[in-house]
């Protein structure tokens, strides 16, 4: 099948590449000339494990190509995915900014040939697919098309596996004809017995928000329980394990930490709250999850201060991990972006290391931050080390070496990677989240 993907950001590039791997002929179109130039040279502009190899393989096998030109990309396509960004609006009111979606709809409209399904892949408020339909109809009244919603559930760092072996695929359509096109696109997954949930467009649009909001609630819940653990001397790791064994609760997403970040949870929870309010409804549990998440970041600053005897002024802090999670270079809404400036404002010096995110981090963090060549270099003469993101590289640190280069052996483990007893036996003063 001939498929066009509009937008070569995280979602668009992974979707286009994986669909090419399924055997489809995919054209990715993006207005960013520099990005397309890089992709044509085989350079993938983001860090996502396995993506560059898969891009180059499919380009080599002539199933994947890149262009900036809609006239080259859209005619002949049987399906067009819209996978452009939907950032929080610049007004700061939490609404999703749909400018790029409607721009894409207008541009593609004039280039449609024959029956085409236009599929929203980006996370968009309920009703957006219908608006896209109106925009296309106004721009090209003769076009023969259907709109559909097919939300993505890709985790950064594991996106290719999530696309190739998803828990489920959600297809929101209004005609059987469109459903058949989407079924054809995902045929390799049908063969793997992947559950496909076929529903209305509005249900599919809301499903994405509900899934992300639920996960955000789960994280905020465990973070608050971790805080109670600290107050009553209980251990969050054992507690999370025990509650997670209940199949109704499930063991995933019960890791306490410095709060959720990334390109989805912070933005999508706020956008969902706006949708809900517009309909005169409320979703107080999600409001609470958002509030708990910002409080959690502030709490980490307090935790760090207290671990250093009440003040970080004049102290050197080694920070290991800057990205919002491991295996990505994405810094969007990373807890580090809130926590590090707060520490610097209180007089701390920060030496940081991240395996993939330092270049990106420099755009988000104050200029005073120094970047180290590895974890040991970051810890040189430090008064404390803060494990901010649980990269595998930091899971088996040579603790003796770390201790020997530090000024004071204070270890603040915001991801509970290390066992408190182990760190104590190595001579560190230990602070974790939700355990002694
Ligand atoms: C998420 C969703 O998982 C994915 O389905 C959706 O399509 C996009 O948003 P992503 O943002 O890539 O994916 O990362 P995810 O692994 O879900 O983690 C999000 C944040 O939650 C990270 O900051 C992570 O550190 C935090 N988290 C996750 C926790 O603090 N505790 C947990 O138990 C799990």
């Amino acid at each position: 099948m001939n498929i066009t993907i509009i937008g070569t950001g995280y979602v668009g590039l992974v979707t286009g590449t994986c669909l090419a791997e399924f055997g489809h002929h995919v054209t990715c179109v993006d207005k960013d000339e520099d990005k397309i130039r890089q992709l044509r040279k085989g350079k993938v502009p983001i860090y996502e494990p396995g993506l560059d190899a898969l891009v180059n393989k499919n380009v080599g096998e002539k199933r994947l190509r890149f262009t900036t030109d809609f006239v080259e990309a859209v005619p002949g396509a049987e399906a067009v995915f819209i996978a452009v960004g939907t950032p929080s609006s610049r007004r700061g009111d939490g609404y999703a900014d749909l400018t790029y979606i409607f721009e894409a709809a207008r541009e593609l409209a004039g280039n449609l040939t024959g029956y085409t399904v236009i599929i929203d892949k980006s996370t968009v408020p309920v009703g957006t697919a219908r608006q896209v339909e109106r925009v296309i109809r106004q721009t090209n009244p003769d076009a023969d098309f259907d709109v559909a919603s097919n939300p993505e559930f890709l985790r950064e760092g594991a996106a290719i596996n999530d696309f190739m072996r998803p828990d489920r695929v959600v297809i929101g359509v209004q005609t059987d004809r469109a459903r058949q096109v989407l079924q054809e696109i995902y045929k390799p997954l049908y063969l793997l017995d992947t559950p496909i949930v076929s529903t209305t467009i509005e249900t599919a649009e809301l499903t994405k928000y509900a899934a992300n909001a639920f996960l955000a609630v789960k994280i905020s819940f465990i973070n608050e329980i971790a805080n109670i653990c600290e107050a009553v001397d209980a251990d969050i790791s054992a507690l999370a394990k025990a509650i997670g064994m209940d199949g109704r609760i499930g063991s995933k997403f019960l890791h306490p930490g410095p709060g959720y970040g990334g390109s989805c949870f912070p933005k999508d929870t706020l956008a969902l709250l706006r949708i809900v309010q517009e309909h005169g409804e409320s979703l107080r549990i999600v409001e609470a999850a958002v509030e708990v998440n910002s409080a959690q970041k502030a709490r980490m600053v307090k935790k760090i201060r207290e671990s250093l005897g009440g003040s970080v002024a004049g102290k050197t802090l080694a920070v290991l991990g800057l990205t919002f999670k491991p295996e990505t270079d994405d810094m969007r809404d990373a807890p580090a972006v809130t926590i590090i400036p707060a520490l610097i404002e209180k007089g701390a010096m920060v030496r940081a290391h991240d395996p993939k995110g330092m270049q990106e981090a420099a755009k988000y963090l104050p200029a005073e931050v120094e970047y180290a060549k590895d974890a040991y270099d970051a810890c040189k003469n430090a008064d404390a080390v803060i494990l901010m993101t649980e990269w595998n590289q930091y899971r088996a640190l040579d603790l003796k070496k770390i201790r020997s280069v530090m000024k004071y052996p204070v270890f603040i483990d915001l991801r509970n990677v290390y066992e408190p007893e182990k760190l104590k036996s190595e001579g560190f003063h230990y602070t974790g989240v939700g355990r002694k």
Side-chain angles (χ1 to χ4, degrees), residues 99 220 240:
T99 315
S220 278

Side-chain angles (χ1 to χ4, degrees), residues 10 152-157 162 168 208 212 215 219 222-223 252-265 268 324-326 335 390 415:
Y10 196 81
E152 52 83 18
F153 300 99
L154 308 173
R155 283 166 305 161
E156 294 191 17
D162 284 354
R168 77 316 204 175
K208 170 63 196 264
N212 273 358
L215 294 170
I219 297 168
I222 205 67
N223 280 338
K252 292 180 182 158
F253 273 70
L254 287 178
H255 302 289
Y260 60 75
S263 67
C264 288
F265 292 168
D268 293 350
F324 82 99
K325 63 185 273 189
E390 69 280 29
R415 300 284 181 170

Side-chain angles (χ1 to χ4, degrees), residues 85-240:
T86 52
S88 277
S89 103
R90 270 187 233 134
R91 296 184 301 271
D93 51 14
Y95 277 99
D97 180 349
L98 300 179
T99 315
Y100 303 119
I101 296 270
F102 296 132
E103 246 177 54
R106 269 189 293 274
E107 290 223 41
L108 73 90
N111 291 298
L112 295 174
T113 52
Y115 176 70
T116 317
V117 185
I118 318 297
I119 307 149
D120 265 337
K121 194 72 172 159
S122 309
T123 303
V124 288
V126 182
T128 302
R130 304 273 181 202
Q131 281 177 270
V132 165
E133 185 174 17
R134 267 194 297 277
V135 170
I136 298 175
R137 219 164 284 293
Q138 276 164 8
T139 319
N140 182 357
D142 299 329
D144 181 14
F145 72 99
D146 271 311
V147 289
S149 165
N150 171 221
E152 52 83 18
F153 300 99
L154 308 173
R155 283 166 305 161
E156 294 191 17
I160 291 171
N161 189 59
D162 284 354
F163 197 99
M164 299 291 195
R165 275 168 284 277
D167 291 340
R168 77 316 204 175
V169 173
V170 177
I171 289 174
V173 284
Q174 57 189 353
T175 67
D176 282 339
R177 205 176 173 194
R179 180 178 301 113
Q180 278 162 18
V181 169
L182 275 145
Q183 282 174 344
E184 187 58 31
I185 292 173
Y186 286 111
K187 203 166 171 188
L189 296 182
Y190 278 88
L191 302 177
L192 292 174
D193 283 335
T194 305
I196 311 278
V197 182
S198 181
T199 177
T200 65
I201 292 177
E202 286 73 16
T203 306
E205 287 174 335
L206 190 57
T207 299
K208 170 63 196 264
Y209 281 112
N212 273 358
F214 189 88
L215 294 170
V217 167
K218 208 171 174 190
I219 297 168
S220 278
F221 175 82
I222 205 67
N223 280 338
E224 279 205 308
I225 295 286
N227 299 341
I228 301 165
C229 281
E230 288 176 13
V232 301
D233 243 350
D235 184 287
I236 192 66
S237 302
L239 182 152

Side-chain angles (χ1 to χ4, degrees), residues 24-42:
H24 300 300
H25 285 94
V26 178
T27 307
C28 292
V29 58
D30 199 297
K31 289 193 142 172
D32 186 333
E33 289 183 4
D34 187 46
K35 210 187 250 183
I36 294 297
R37 208 174 302 124
Q38 280 196 53
L39 283 163
R40 281 183 164 163
K41 282 191 213 148

